[in-house]
Amino acid sequence: MTTTSVPLDDATLVGRARDGDVRAYEQLVLRYQGPMFRLALKMLHHRGDAEDVVQEAFLGAWRKLAQLNDDKAFVGWLYRGTTNRCLNVIRARRPQADVDLDLAESPRRDTQPEHAAQVSGQLAALDEALLTLTPQQRACWLLREVHGRSYDEISEIVGANPTAVRGRIARARAQLAEVMKPWR
């Protein structure tokens, strides 16, 4: 007879972590470190800064876990902490930050070289275009288009009302569409 373990839901893991279960919190970290890192990397365009932000976000969440009133709200809370830390890093940077566009990698390496070069060019152009957005527009756009968060979730994450979030995303989409026209 084999027994299969069913993965625990976030709320259960959060509750156990709040009670001091480090392994439960490790499961949450393993589950969400990838999405948080991708968000931070796209916002900051610097791998080291993104790694630092994600580490700080998870450490901060661990320390303040007792303050979380609704265990089901953990993911949104984590996105909010990561996004706010990214915005703080952007604010603290000198006006012209060095950008490493080589961080963009083609998602598929098994394609024809011409296609791979085109995809790589598109990703580099998108990374460059994202830098033309305000940090708030970039955060809203990434949370919606890359991370699939709802407008209400984004509004909680960035601390703006849903109408403002929709406006930021609409302006970001329009600006990105204009900049990306040559790639259509």
Side-chain angles (χ1 to χ4, degrees), residues 3-179:
T3 59
T4 57
S5 65
V6 176
L8 298 174
D9 66 358
D10 291 349
T12 303
L13 289 172
V14 169
R16 288 182 179 183
R18 182 184 293 110
D19 292 338
D21 185 344
V22 175
R23 288 189 193 272
Y25 195 71
E26 286 173 359
Q27 289 301 309
L28 290 166
V29 171
L30 290 172
R31 191 173 288 176
Y32 292 109
Q33 68 185 356
M36 295 305 126
F37 178 72
R38 287 188 295 277
L39 171 65
L41 186 59
K42 286 291 184 189
M43 285 195 67
L44 301 172
H45 293 274
H46 187 273
R47 186 171 295 279
D49 287 348
E51 289 169 351
D52 290 346
V53 160
V54 172
Q55 183 177 8
E56 290 170 15
F58 278 108
L59 283 172
W62 172 252
R63 289 183 188 123
K64 296 181 180 181
L65 204 53
Q67 296 174 15
L68 182 63
N69 296 327
D70 180 4
D71 291 351
K72 294 177 186 171
F74 177 77
V75 178
W77 191 54
L78 191 58
Y79 268 109
R80 183 169 43 255
T82 304
T83 301
N84 287 336
R85 281 177 172 80
C86 287
L87 292 171
N88 289 339
V89 168
I90 291 168
R91 280 185 213 108
R93 286 181 174 165
R94 61 179 201 255
Q96 282 294 72
D98 294 328
V99 178
D100 184 7
L101 294 177
D102 293 330
L103 290 175
E105 296 178 7
S106 173
R108 296 184 57 197
R109 297 208 177 264
D110 60 333
T111 58
Q112 296 296 325
E114 302 83 26
H115 182 70
Q118 181 184 9
V119 169
S120 180
Q122 286 172 329
L123 287 173
L126 178 59
D127 277 347
E128 201 169 311
L130 284 171
L131 289 175
T132 66
L133 301 176
T134 68
Q136 292 77 17
Q137 287 173 337
R138 190 178 330 148
C140 290
W141 186 87
L142 287 167
L143 287 166
R144 179 71 181 165
E145 301 299 335
V146 177
H147 294 270
R149 307 322 284 178
S150 72
Y151 292 109
D152 289 335
E153 287 174 310
I154 296 168
S155 97
E156 286 183 33
I157 290 168
V158 301
N161 68 49
T163 304
V165 167
R166 286 179 188 276
R168 288 176 186 169
I169 292 170
R171 285 188 296 281
R173 284 177 179 155
Q175 194 169 334
L176 291 173
E178 185 64 31
V179 173

